[in-house]
Amino acid sequence: MEKNKVQNTPTTNKKLIEWVNRMAKLCGPDKIVWIDGSEEQKLILEKECVASGELIRLNPEKLPGCFLHRTAQDDVARTEHLTFICTKKKHDAGPNNNWMSPFAAYRKARAIFKNAMKGRTMYVIPFSMGPVGSTFSKIGVELTDSRYVVLNMLIMTRCGEAVLRQLEKNDDFTRCLHSKAELDIKKRLILHFPEDNTIWSVGSGYGGNVLLGKKCLALRISSFTAKKEKWLAEHMLIMGIEEPNGHIEYIAAAFPSACGKTNLAMLIPPEGLRVKGYRVWTVGDDIAWMRVDTDGSLWAINPETGFFGVAPGTNSNANPNMVKTVQKNTIYTNVLLKPDNTVWWEGADGEVPSQGIDWKGNPWKPNTLDDEGKAIKGAHPNARFTTPIANCPSASFRLDQHHGVPISAIIFGGRRQHVAPLVYEAFNWQHGVFVGATMGSELTAAQVGKLGQVRRDPMAMLPFCGYNMAEYFRHWLNMGKLMAKPPKIFHVNWFRMDEKGKFLWPGFCENLRVLEWILDRCDNTVNAMRTPVGYVPYPFNIDMTGLNLGNGVLEKLLNVDKEEWQEELKGINKFFAEFKKDMPRELWDEYDALLERLKKNGK
Ligand code: OXD
Ligand code: MN
């Protein structure tokens, strides 16, 4: 029997068999195992992980089917500086990406992959992003030497037999190769080859770098494919809002990290609005694939089947639905282990435990200080849970529908202390693309850089757009022309502050009050104030039943300060200029028009 060769393949797809053989030859695993998506196979893998120490089984009474995993200490987040777009021409990756030539990238990575799986098993994971067989969906096959990756992929994607059957009808798939190798940051690379429909990730075990269906395939590779095929692959949540009359309107929303995207996707209406009969249905919290359907509207699916969410700060106040979701069949990564074999993180419900094992595996007590005098955290600030959407009490009943859901509104958002009002509506699609392209967030204490400094993150896609963003903007402009009924575009800012640095808006579930206005605008049932930046609500059109902000606060939240906006335009100018002559003229036109409106007296 020839070593490293696929034996008893469960597929007749020659292209797939040939590729698996070639990669096995490179990586040198002892064994190859095909993931079939069965419960039996999953249970075997879980047992093996517990035996090897990759997973700790959590309290089966309190957290059935749940496990804890700890990553290496220098492997706790996406490593953007080690993430590359490898197109033949550097220009095609754009100023927004790190670039390496495919030749250099393959050569560099091949040396790390060489025999990296020796003594290990190579798992072959056929997965579908989106319902198997939907016109929206794309198939990938991930080869990995990590059982943790397999178990996470089983939660996050549709894996196994059904996907192999689909690949017999159409043999097109994204080739995803992953090896932990030595988990050495100096030998870590996350490489995307959009022209070859290939992803190579080596040297990491952190979800964002290794669950290759997510950021790598569903955003970086798919944004490239989507441009060619005329659809949109976006870093957006999708939620349905059931109106008092039972009708459900769907919105897609893009926010940079740490702006509460997951919380918004599954919010529970505040008491004051709940009595009206509103209800939220969660379609997705991270990625939206959107296509123009035969009705001329934009329809969206969430290509994933799970949430890979940030644990710290998740509690019954911020996100009661997520707290319920993570009670079973969940993999926790880098959280604190409590003596009763349950888990905890900073900002979790209940009392701070008096002791535990921290995310590094060390004994922990609250308020223990490190060498610099800072309290040692029980959970890493980017500790995660991987959990099935099906567990979520607000999971939409349309998750598996092949056509997805129709999108009425697209929302862009950022974290801005000043400048951006609570909500405004773009004048039209082209202006909406400008609003998305100029999105920004202020740096928080958690990021390196000057506090309050604005980082531009267009459509929240800066780390995820697999090609030149100037071309991406052009694609967005073109998509508007394909739609008979394009969604309306809005911008929201939950983070505006007063002079003393206090948040003016309570956020969380109260955000539904703003979404209600947005839906009223989509239905043309409410007027708005025209300002230089867009349409802003009249304060009396936001339903404030049960929420008292104090005199004049809503007016402050909705204020458009022309001087602040003129300052803002200087930053936008600098950002646009980075794209040189590739920047679509239409966006500079929008820039000029805004400047002009700001200079005029009156509104
Ligand atoms: C994520 C991210 O992990 O956007 O979803 O960073
Ligand atoms: Mn994300």
Side-chain angles (χ1 to χ4, degrees):
M1 213 159 58
E2 204 175 328
K3 202 169 171 269
N4 300 333
K5 254 209 147 163
V6 177
Q7 311 294 335
N8 306 322
T9 53
T11 179
T12 54
N13 183 325
K14 287 211 181 73
K15 192 166 132 188
L16 174 56
I17 297 173
E18 184 273 325
W19 172 68
V20 174
N21 279 334
R22 211 154 27 86
M23 294 304 106
K25 201 162 166 213
L26 170 64
C27 301
D30 285 9
K31 218 164 86 179
I32 297 171
V33 169
W34 290 68
I35 298 304
D36 59 16
S38 70
E39 191 60 21
E40 293 102 286
Q41 194 183 41
K42 186 181 106 177
L43 293 176
I44 294 170
L45 287 165
E46 285 172 354
K47 269 200 189 141
E48 288 175 2
C49 279
V50 171
S52 69
E54 285 161 278
L55 292 180
I56 295 168
R57 194 182 296 279
L58 295 172
N59 187 317
E61 267 89 53
K62 294 183 180 165
L63 292 171
C66 293
F67 296 88
L68 167 65
H69 172 77
R70 297 190 189 108
T71 64
Q73 290 180 27
D74 64 357
D75 192 19
V76 290
R78 285 184 289 104
T79 35
E80 286 176 21
H81 67 293
L82 303 174
T83 301
F84 291 83
I85 299 296
C86 310
T87 41
K88 286 193 199 90
K89 293 192 206 128
K90 182 170 187 200
H91 178 260
D92 292 343
N96 46 296
N97 281 305
N98 300 318
W99 174 84
M100 223 191 282
S101 79
F103 179 78
Y106 281 128
R107 195 182 48 184
K108 206 164 166 189
R110 203 174 283 124
I112 311 173
F113 275 114
K114 185 91 199 130
N115 290 328
M117 297 188 187
K118 205 164 180 341
R120 299 179 187 166
T121 299
M122 174 194 263
Y123 297 95
V124 184
I125 317 169
F127 65 94
S128 176
M129 299 310 291
V132 180
S134 156
T135 43
F136 274 91
S137 302
K138 297 284 175 198
I139 287 181
V141 180
E142 178 161 352
L143 308 180
T144 179
D145 54 4
S146 160
R147 293 187 197 91
Y148 169 78
V149 167
V150 176
L151 291 171
N152 275 270
M153 287 294 282
L154 286 168
I155 297 174
M156 296 303 295
T157 71
R158 296 152 171 98
C159 302
E161 278 294 324
V163 180
L164 286 182
R165 298 292 79 80
Q166 185 63 23
L167 267 181
E168 269 145 30
K169 293 184 208 148
N170 174 356
D171 71 358
D172 194 28
F173 66 94
T174 305
R175 291 177 287 253
C176 308
L177 176 65
H178 166 251
S179 171
K180 299 182 281 189
E182 295 161 56
L183 290 176
D184 177 354
I185 192 160
K186 291 194 220 79
K187 293 187 194 160
R188 183 173 301 161
L189 287 169
I190 324 295
L191 305 174
H192 303 74
F193 304 89
E195 290 147 351
D196 300 347
N197 200 7
T198 295
I199 302 160
W200 279 19
S201 163
V202 67
S204 173
Y206 170 74
N209 291 334
V210 301
L211 307 180
L212 299 184
K214 196 176 180 61
K215 303 299 188 185
C216 302
L217 191 160
L219 290 177
R220 297 195 190 98
I221 293 288
S222 291
S223 57
F224 178 91
T225 316
K227 178 170 185 293
K228 271 201 308 205
E229 298 178 355
K230 299 193 174 63
W231 52 281
L232 292 166
E234 298 301 323
H235 188 204
M236 288 182 180
L237 65 86
I238 309 168
M239 67 196 281
I241 299 165
E242 186 173 326
E243 296 177 332
N245 62 10
H247 176 72
I248 306 177
E249 297 267 354
Y250 292 90
I251 61 176
F255 296 86
S257 302
C259 287
K261 199 153 126 240
T262 303
N263 297 345
L264 185 65
M266 55 193 76
L267 70 73
I268 292 184
E271 197 54 45
L273 291 194
R274 206 174 318 154
V275 292
K276 279 185 169 175
Y278 279 109
R279 209 179 154 161
V280 164
W281 296 104
T282 309
V283 181
D285 80 326
D286 199 37
I287 296 169
W289 283 0
M290 304 193 281
R291 281 179 187 270
V292 182
D293 211 329
T294 45
D295 65 350
S297 313
L298 195 62
W299 288 66
I301 64 157
N302 167 15
E304 303 187 287
T305 52
F307 305 121
F308 180 62
V310 178
T314 302
N315 58 48
S316 299
N317 181 41
N319 194 338
N321 276 327
M322 190 58 100
V323 170
K324 293 195 183 112
T325 304
V326 298
Q327 297 307 313
K328 61 176 184 188
N329 301 334
T330 297
I331 300 174
Y332 294 92
T333 301
N334 293 341
V335 297
L336 178 108
L337 180 64
K338 294 201 319 189
D340 66 349
N341 254 5
T342 61
V343 290
W344 181 85
W345 47 82
E346 278 69 19
D349 282 333
E351 309 232 315
V352 176
S354 57
Q355 58 173 304
I357 309 284
D358 71 13
W359 69 274
K360 293 182 178 169
N362 298 324
W364 178 92
K365 278 191 189 322
N367 305 320
T368 313
L369 304 183
D370 66 14
D371 295 345
E372 289 166 20
K374 284 200 226 119
I376 295 175
K377 298 228 189 278
H380 186 275
N382 191 35
R384 296 273 173 158
F385 45 72
T386 319
T387 193
I389 296 184
N391 283 1
C392 181
S394 61
S396 165
F397 56 92
R398 293 178 77 158
L399 277 169
D400 284 321
Q401 290 191 2
H402 283 210
H403 276 253
V405 296
I407 298 296
S408 304
I410 290 176
I411 302 177
F412 295 120
R415 178 183 278 271
R416 303 302 302 267
Q417 293 174 25
H418 309 288
V419 190
L422 179 63
V423 57
Y424 64 96
E425 179 192 331
F427 296 121
N428 50 46
W429 182 266
Q430 177 172 306
H431 179 227
V433 176
F434 174 81
V435 170
T438 55
M439 250 170 81
S441 253
E442 274 135 21
L443 298 184
T444 62
Q447 288 153 321
V448 185
K450 208 168 114 225
L451 229 64
Q453 189 185 322
V454 177
R455 179 162 68 182
R456 299 281 152 207
D457 187 357
M459 283 85 167
M461 280 290 278
L462 191 66
F464 306 120
C465 181
Y467 61 104
N468 192 323
M469 264 199 144
E471 290 303 318
Y472 169 79
F473 298 145
R474 196 179 306 283
H475 176 49
W476 262 83
L477 292 167
N478 289 339
M479 284 298 293
K481 294 177 197 143
L482 299 180
M483 282 181 269
K485 283 177 279 175
K488 289 198 177 192
I489 299 180
F490 298 82
H491 186 280
V492 298
N493 174 24
W494 316 131
F495 301 95
R496 203 151 176 177
M497 286 180 169
D498 67 11
E499 308 72 40
K500 296 195 191 104
K502 199 174 136 267
F503 287 117
L504 291 167
W505 181 250
F508 298 109
C509 64
E510 308 296 347
N511 295 334
L512 185 61
R513 299 173 193 276
V514 173
L515 302 185
E516 187 186 34
W517 180 81
I518 287 176
L519 293 184
D520 286 346
R521 288 296 292 166
C522 293
D523 296 341
N524 294 317
T525 55
V526 69
N527 287 332
M529 220 172 353
R530 193 182 161 94
T531 76
V533 301
Y535 296 112
V536 169
Y538 290 108
F540 51 81
N541 282 140
I542 305 244
D543 187 342
M544 297 294 280
T545 314
L547 176 64
N548 186 359
L549 292 186
N551 262 350
V553 173
L554 196 51
E555 285 75 5
K556 253 193 206 162
L557 277 159
L558 296 172
N559 183 45
V560 174
D561 183 308
K562 288 188 176 183
E563 270 169 35
E564 277 179 1
W565 274 93
Q566 292 194 33
E567 257 326 285
E568 177 76 2
L569 276 185
K570 290 184 191 159
I572 292 175
N573 187 312
K574 219 165 126 200
F575 178 65
F576 277 11
E578 284 175 34
F579 296 95
K580 305 207 171 95
K581 61 178 182 5
D582 296 324
M583 195 65 179
R585 200 207 63 242
E586 292 89 329
L587 294 187
W588 278 117
D589 289 348
E590 288 296 333
Y591 172 94
D592 292 340
L594 174 54
L595 189 59
E596 208 44 44
R597 290 193 297 269
L598 289 167
K599 282 185 186 155
K600 269 201 204 129
N601 281 332
K603 300 257 156 116

